[in-house]
Amino acid sequence: MERAAEGNRRGYLAERGWRSWAYTMDHKRIGVMYLYTTIAFFLVGGVFALLLRLELLSPQAKYFSDHAYNVFFTLHGAMMIFLFIIPAIPSGLGNFFIPLHIGARDVAFPRINLASYWVFVAGFLVVIASLVSPMDTGWTFYTPYSAKTGAAVATLSFGIFLIGMSSILTGLNFIVTIHKLRAPGMTWHRLPLFIWGMYATSIIQVIATPVVGVTFLLLAMERLLGVGFFDPAKGGDPVLFQHFFWFYSHPVVYVMILPAMGIISEVIPVFSRKPIFGYKAIAYSSLAIAFLGFLVWGHHMFTSGMSPLANAIFSFLTFFVAVPTAVKVFNWIATLYKGSITFESPMLYALTFIFLFAVGGLTGPFLGALATNVQLHDTYFVVAHFHYTMMGGTVMGFFAGLHYWFPKMTGKMLNEKVARIAWALVFVGFNVTFFTMFIVGVRGMPRRYAEYLPKFHVENVISTVGSAILAVGIAVMVLNFILGLRKGAPAPGNPWRALSLEWQTPSPPDTDNFHEIPVVTDWPYGYGKAEGPAE
């Protein structure tokens, strides 16, 4: 009876009707809206990826024109980067769980939180409107081509400007929330590591995002007013665009990966039944990654004509990023050591994150070193490295978070057997797709081309088969989520026996999160040990 009663409660989902969602200031509902929106773009962006792989089944163009291939490539990259992978964890899961993790009833500025979502919606609507004239610039929008193409680059720039504004508002809100709304006793060293990751992410969002906003504003001015910022014919410098773009886009890699690292730091100790190893090292390495991320943008531009001295400095600095990243990986593995490990679906995705991100990280030095970078620049090696880092890292972390917190967000349990089948398909499909790209990249196949030499045919067929397996795995996962929402067994309050505060609330949580603001007396990782790190 108690279980049935628990399953019938709807918590923050009790109120129904579109107005209850459109005007809500509940951080949990806003987070859910972000999740639905970003996941929709993930699926659409994935369809464009499949179209690209379909075209690459043959060395010669077979299904689409070269222009159509460039358009699909641009849409895949732009949707995945700007509309899915950047906002999914920070704005989706972050909105839902930051107040719950720190023992607060909501974020510091609920109205600004709602406004940031609708600004995000306005941004992606403008971006979609700009696609009336197909966009073929690639997701990096490099000048001078983007300053001259007939595509609606100015309109798209405005859309990205709005999305960036939404990101800044969200980051500011989270920083203030973490500083000012922590429950009594929730000291900095008792914060869940997901919060440390989100805090570092928010700092990057606030500092770096204005740069890309101004960059696209300058690009729009160049197209609309004829002012020469980036076009050499007008006295501008196209390399300046690359500097601005990568000053934002390299730190924003950590906007994508740091929240995922935070999720992994939550999942590993729960399913190892051990205290997290090296709490402070993991926490402060998040801030170190955020700081170092601002110093290494030039390693994307070794072949752009920068001076040899600048190339050498950026190459030297790039290797420092590996240090705090390796600190995290070492401490996760040390946490696993002699743990009572169980392999539920969140843990499977967390372990997949560590493995795939390690492969992505270990192939990074080849691109950070000047000599090998020049050899591998603009080959499929870069595509493989990028996807192992971003999809193998961030997206697998996102999947881990979705499976871990699904019972808390929905009050329903997923079918664990189906979740494991989906994981197996995703793991196999991902590696078949992208590891093959390392091989073909080393052999010299350039990226972003619709046609290629016949000697690369076999590898491309294998990669396309892998992408089909990956797509089936994600389809099974989505189906499991849908069935879980409709017919899933009622979730208990704490199905994973976790210690952090969000699991001390009912599933799903009430609108106000807590009946009484909790008083925190210890850290959230005390599995088998009573005390956390010294203050």
Side-chain angles (χ1 to χ4, degrees):
M1 291 293 290
E2 183 180 348
R3 183 180 175 85
E6 193 172 20
N8 290 330
R9 67 178 311 281
R10 289 181 54 82
Y12 76 99
L13 297 170
E15 195 175 356
R16 298 174 186 270
W18 69 270
R19 289 177 182 276
S20 70
W21 288 91
Y23 299 115
T24 184
M25 284 183 282
D26 184 339
H27 66 97
K28 298 182 289 299
R29 285 183 167 236
I30 294 171
V32 169
M33 290 195 292
Y34 268 114
L35 286 174
Y36 274 112
T37 308
T38 53
I39 289 174
F41 282 113
F42 169 67
L43 297 177
V44 175
V47 169
F48 285 116
L50 289 175
L51 292 175
L52 296 176
R53 290 308 323 168
L54 178 65
E55 180 63 43
L56 293 172
L57 267 175
S58 171
Q60 303 300 318
K62 188 174 182 180
Y63 301 105
F64 316 111
S65 67
D66 291 349
H67 178 71
Y69 182 90
N70 284 340
V71 171
F72 293 162
F73 164 75
T74 302
L75 291 174
H76 166 66
M79 284 187 178
M80 286 297 194
I81 295 294
F82 295 109
L83 300 179
F84 166 62
I85 202 167
I86 291 177
I89 300 181
S91 300
L93 295 177
N95 245 312
F96 199 106
F97 287 104
I98 286 177
L100 286 165
H101 264 160
I102 65 174
R105 297 200 185 280
D106 208 322
V107 294
F109 307 113
R111 293 181 188 278
I112 291 178
N113 199 23
L114 177 61
S116 69
Y117 174 73
W118 287 114
V119 170
F120 175 73
V121 171
F124 79 65
L125 290 177
V126 172
V127 169
I128 291 173
S130 73
L131 302 180
V132 174
S133 178
M135 193 68 57
D136 60 351
T137 59
W139 74 273
T140 54
F141 306 100
Y142 273 1
T143 56
Y145 182 72
S146 61
K148 297 176 178 178
T149 177
V153 173
T155 307
L156 182 137
S157 299
F158 180 59
I160 292 178
F161 188 86
L162 290 175
I163 292 170
M165 185 182 297
S166 165
S167 181
I168 294 170
L169 291 175
T170 300
L172 278 172
N173 214 342
F174 288 171
I175 290 173
V176 177
T177 300
I178 294 169
H179 270 274
K180 305 300 291 186
L181 296 187
R182 300 195 309 275
M186 179 65 83
T187 62
W188 283 94
H189 291 154
R190 289 175 179 166
L191 282 174
L193 289 164
F194 178 68
I195 299 299
W196 278 96
M198 286 303 309
Y199 185 71
T201 299
S202 301
I203 292 173
I204 299 173
Q205 284 178 300
V206 171
I207 295 176
T209 308
V211 176
V212 77
V214 171
T215 305
F216 280 100
L217 189 63
L218 295 177
L219 180 59
M221 288 175 65
E222 181 158 314
R223 289 179 60 92
L224 298 174
L225 305 177
V227 182
F229 292 108
F230 308 119
D231 186 352
K234 298 175 182 175
D237 183 356
V239 178
L240 178 63
F241 179 90
Q242 293 190 36
H243 277 290
F244 284 162
F245 182 84
W246 288 114
F247 182 81
Y248 162 77
S249 293
H250 191 80
V252 90
V253 166
Y254 305 111
V255 169
M256 306 175 206
I257 198 69
L258 280 170
M261 290 173 164
I263 292 172
I264 303 307
S265 299
E266 296 302 316
V267 171
I268 292 289
V270 170
F271 294 93
S272 301
R273 311 311 299 174
K274 271 188 65 184
I276 190 80
F277 186 88
Y279 172 91
K280 288 185 178 179
I282 295 177
Y284 290 114
S285 64
S286 296
L287 300 179
I289 290 172
F291 172 73
L292 292 169
F294 283 101
L295 305 179
V296 298
W297 78 90
H299 72 225
H300 295 275
M301 302 166 54
F302 286 154
T303 61
S304 67
M306 288 195 306
S307 70
L309 177 61
N311 282 344
I313 291 173
F314 278 119
S315 177
F316 178 73
L317 292 174
T318 295
F319 287 93
F320 281 95
V321 179
V323 176
T325 306
V327 166
K328 286 182 181 294
V329 174
F330 172 80
N331 285 292
W332 291 328
I333 294 173
T335 304
L336 291 168
Y337 181 64
K338 291 188 175 180
S340 300
I341 299 172
T342 56
F343 295 97
E344 287 88 348
S345 52
M347 185 62 157
L348 291 174
Y349 282 107
L351 296 174
T352 301
F353 172 101
I354 295 174
F355 173 71
L356 299 182
F357 185 75
V359 174
L362 291 172
T363 52
F366 295 97
L367 299 174
L370 276 172
T372 47
N373 179 285
V374 173
Q375 177 70 22
L376 296 169
H377 190 81
D378 267 346
T379 69
Y380 264 82
F381 188 92
V382 179
V383 180
H385 165 73
F386 182 81
H387 281 84
Y388 264 86
T389 308
M390 290 294 96
M391 185 168 186
T394 303
V395 179
M396 295 303 159
F398 181 58
F399 289 166
L402 285 182
H403 286 80
Y404 179 56
W405 283 313
F406 186 89
K408 182 54 59 183
M409 290 190 287
T410 66
K412 302 287 184 65
M413 296 297 291
L414 288 171
N415 184 316
E416 184 62 22
K417 183 178 179 181
V418 176
R420 293 180 188 185
I421 293 172
W423 164 81
L425 290 168
V426 167
F427 182 80
V428 172
F430 177 90
N431 283 290
V432 172
T433 303
F434 294 107
F435 195 83
T436 311
M437 293 184 186
F438 279 125
I439 299 170
V440 80
V442 170
R443 295 182 61 207
M445 179 172 168
R447 60 176 174 169
R448 298 177 179 170
Y449 284 75
E451 300 178 1
Y452 54 87
L453 295 176
K455 67 178 182 179
F456 302 127
H457 188 204
V458 174
E459 290 90 339
N460 276 282
V461 170
I462 293 172
S463 189
T464 299
V465 170
S467 69
I469 298 171
L470 178 58
V472 172
I474 290 174
V476 173
M477 181 195 305
V478 172
L479 181 63
N480 196 29
F481 283 138
I482 294 172
L483 291 177
L485 281 171
R486 293 174 61 86
K487 301 180 179 178
N494 191 357
W496 312 127
R497 297 180 295 129
L499 299 179
S500 47
L501 285 180
E502 83 274 24
W503 294 108
Q504 315 313 315
T505 64
S507 298
D510 294 325
T511 300
D512 292 333
N513 292 348
F514 304 94
H515 296 301
E516 292 182 0
I517 294 297
V519 176
V520 180
T521 58
D522 201 357
W523 70 332
Y525 305 107
Y527 303 101
K529 289 187 178 180
E531 296 181 355
E535 294 296 317

